[in-house]
């Protein structure tokens, strides 16, 4: 069944998919196609209930519309969830059944990887549909999206540094990187190239070992709490969501927060706590859009340099948002939402959609 549900959540379309033979239960959420086909990953997760799966897909698809709008992509916002345990359910038959549902939307929704789905899964889904990105390099895919995610975060951080200290560089600033995973490692390299001092932490001993072996000048601290309390200029959350909450914000010594992690604000209102403390927060979904820029480029036939140029523009977008926030007297997160809504409305009008 396919239901239009503009009344309560503002979504254009929510599609419930079921395939009894393979046990597939999926929900595809299309928040907006004002800018173009909706793009967003497929999350494969053992939700406690269908209600929980639906709430997640509605929330995530709306977030993608805003992220894609500010990334300057001609793509709308969508997301899908497959409800179940990937360890038990995932296999070629289920992924193919899912791919046929994506195909049935005739290009209104493009899928990609998210929590619980990987490049190899996208290659299987692609056997049933053209509307899939995040594929392997052998199949023309963009490869590891953390490369341009880190590049974009670095650009957003440069814009924030310019806003606070007057020059778009991290030269001589102390930057705290929490999480030395795929993104954190690339980001550390960009920061060192820019002559920043890097202080870092990771719970995984292998990541700590990587730093000691490759960048011995990086100072390691015990945990994220120690990093928050450290004498740093910039805090870059690059591990899990919820890094900024009622405890971390009052303890934070940095003047700027800019990092890759999704959903850094633990709850609504944290952006106000940050603003009240005079800490500049570069919104997560603006600065971490390099990954979606990288996979979106596949739709045209992947070209790394073109995608990198677009990710470099995260500098200009962050700058514009920080200025707008000052002008309108609102936190940057609110200014970012307004700018995204403006673009969706303007382009939507040009295309006579809304
Ligand atoms: P990753 O899993 O490769 O790295 C995360 C790292 O954080 C790991 O090394 C892990 O050990 C560490 N970590 C976990 N909990 C920690 C803690 N409490 N304290 C310190 N370190 C901790 O993931 P990634 O791809 O590098 O992504 C990092 C973040 O950026 C995630 O929130 C992800 O959703 C977000 N993001 C990633 C991309 C991308 O393209 N990879 C795009 C957009 C957003």
């Amino acid at each position: 069944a396919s239901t239009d549900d503009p009344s309560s959540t503002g979504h254009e379309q929510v599609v419930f998919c079921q395939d009894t033979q393979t046990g597939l239960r999926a929900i595809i959420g299309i928040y907006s196609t004002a800018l173009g086909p909706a793009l967003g990953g497929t999350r494969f997760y053992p939700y406690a209930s269908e209600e929980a799966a639906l709430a997640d897909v509605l929330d995530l698809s709306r977030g993608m519309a805003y992220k894609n709008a500010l990334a300057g992509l001609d793509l709308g916002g969508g997301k899908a969830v497959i409800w179940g345990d990937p360890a038990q359910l995932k296999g070629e038959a289920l992924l193919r059944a899912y791919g046929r549902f994506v195909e049935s939307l005739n290009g209104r929704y493009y899928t990609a990887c998210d929590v619980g789905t990987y490049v190899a899964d996208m290659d299987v889904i692609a056997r049933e549909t053209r509307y899939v990105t995040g594929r392997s390099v052998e199949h023309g895919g963009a490869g590891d999206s953390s490369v341009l995610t880190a590049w974009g975060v670095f650009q957003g951080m440069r814009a924030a540094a310019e806003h606070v200290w007057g020059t778009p560089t991290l030269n001589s600033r102390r930057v705290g990187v929490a999480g030395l995973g795929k993104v954190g490692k690339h980001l550390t390299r960009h920061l060192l190239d820019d002559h920043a001092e890097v202080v870092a932490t990771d719970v995984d001993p292998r990541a700590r070992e990587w730093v000691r072996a490759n960048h011995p000048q990086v100072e390691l601290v015990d945990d994220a709490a120690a990093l928050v309390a450290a004498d740093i200029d910039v805090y870059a959350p690059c591990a899990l969501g919820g890094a900024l909450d009622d405890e971390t914000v009052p303890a934070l010594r940095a003047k700027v927060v800019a990092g890759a992690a999704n959903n850094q604000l633990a709850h609504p209102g944290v952006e106000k706590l940050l603003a009240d403390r005079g800490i500049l927060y570069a919104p997560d979904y603006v600065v971490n859009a390099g990954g979606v820029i990288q996979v979106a480029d596949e739709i045209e036939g992947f070209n790394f340099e073109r995608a990198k140029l677009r990710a470099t523009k995260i500098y200009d977008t962050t700058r514009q948002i920080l200025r707008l926030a000052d002008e309108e007297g609102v936190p940057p997160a609110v200014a970012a939402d307004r700018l995204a809504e403006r673009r969706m409305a303007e382009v939507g009008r040009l295309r006579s959609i809304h």
Side-chain angles (χ1 to χ4, degrees):
S2 172
T3 55
D4 286 330
D5 181 19
S7 53
S8 53
T9 63
H11 288 72
E12 280 180 26
Q13 192 178 14
V14 181
V15 184
F16 290 79
C17 316
Q18 175 162 250
D19 181 69
T20 47
Q21 272 194 354
T22 60
L24 171 76
R25 283 178 301 182
I27 311 174
I28 300 172
I30 297 178
Y31 180 75
S32 166
T33 57
L35 300 180
L39 167 68
T42 299
R43 184 164 292 194
F44 203 144
Y45 189 77
Y47 293 98
S49 63
E50 189 175 51
E51 287 71 28
L54 178 61
D56 209 26
V57 78
L58 292 178
D59 201 33
L60 293 165
S61 54
R62 183 173 184 276
M64 286 310 299
Y66 281 71
K67 186 178 211 167
N68 293 344
L70 288 183
L73 298 169
D74 291 330
L75 292 166
K79 198 95 179 184
V81 296
I82 299 180
W83 170 24
D85 181 358
Q88 284 178 10
L89 285 175
K90 206 201 282 175
E92 183 173 344
L94 178 140
L95 291 172
R96 277 180 176 268
Y98 174 63
R100 289 193 294 277
F101 278 112
V102 172
E103 178 69 18
S104 75
L105 293 172
N106 281 317
R108 281 177 55 74
Y109 168 68
Y110 275 86
T111 198
C113 304
D114 193 66
V115 174
T117 57
Y118 302 89
V119 164
D121 300 328
M122 296 307 124
D123 284 341
V124 177
I125 291 168
R127 299 174 90 156
E128 300 284 354
T129 180
R130 291 156 280 171
Y131 307 116
V132 50
T133 63
R135 298 194 61 195
S136 62
V137 176
E138 305 88 85
H139 286 98
D144 178 5
S145 64
S146 63
V147 174
L148 288 186
T149 300
W151 180 246
V153 170
F154 177 59
Q155 298 307 324
M157 202 186 279
R158 286 179 56 237
E162 182 181 31
H163 200 80
V164 174
W165 297 296
T167 41
T169 173
L170 281 307
N171 190 335
S172 309
R173 301 285 165 208
R174 274 169 72 77
V175 184
V177 179
L180 293 160
K182 293 185 289 295
V183 180
K185 283 181 179 140
H186 291 299
L187 180 62
T188 296
R189 282 195 209 101
H190 298 314
L191 290 168
L192 293 173
D193 287 347
D194 198 25
H195 308 289
E197 288 175 41
V198 179
V199 190
T201 190
D202 197 295
V203 287
D204 185 344
R206 285 167 304 179
R208 303 166 72 87
E209 199 36 57
W210 175 87
V211 170
R212 283 195 201 94
N214 293 283
H215 304 291
Q217 70 274 48
V218 170
E219 187 187 325
L220 282 168
V221 296
D222 286 345
D223 51 29
L227 197 57
V228 164
D231 181 16
I232 50 173
D233 300 304
V234 180
Y235 179 48
C238 294
L240 309 176
L244 302 166
D245 60 21
D246 298 334
E247 274 157 37
T248 47
V249 175
L252 196 59
R253 292 174 70 184
K255 280 269 162 260
V256 167
V257 176
N262 281 312
N263 306 324
Q264 287 169 34
L265 306 178
H267 59 79
V270 178
E271 70 278 6
K272 174 94 176 36
L273 285 180
L274 287 157
D276 288 349
R277 287 212 60 221
I279 300 168
L280 187 76
Y281 169 64
D284 46 15
Y285 79 83
V286 178
V287 302
N288 75 13
V292 74
I293 289 173
Q294 187 165 336
V295 298
D297 198 81
E298 274 179 54
I299 296 173
E300 293 179 65
F302 185 57
N303 177 316
F304 181 79
E305 288 309 319
R306 178 178 59 203
K308 186 175 176 184
L309 271 179
R310 187 165 263 163
T312 307
K313 294 209 173 99
I314 290 176
Y315 165 76
D316 303 281
T317 309
T318 308
R319 214 170 165 218
Q320 194 184 353
I321 285 163
L322 298 178
R323 285 183 183 174
L324 187 68
D326 280 356
E327 278 164 31
E328 300 194 352
V330 293
V334 175
D337 285 356
R338 286 184 184 172
L339 199 64
E341 282 159 10
R342 213 172 285 170
R343 181 162 186 249
M344 284 188 264
E346 281 167 8
V347 179
R349 265 196 302 276
L350 285 176
R351 301 181 66 223
S352 308
I353 287 183
H354 292 292

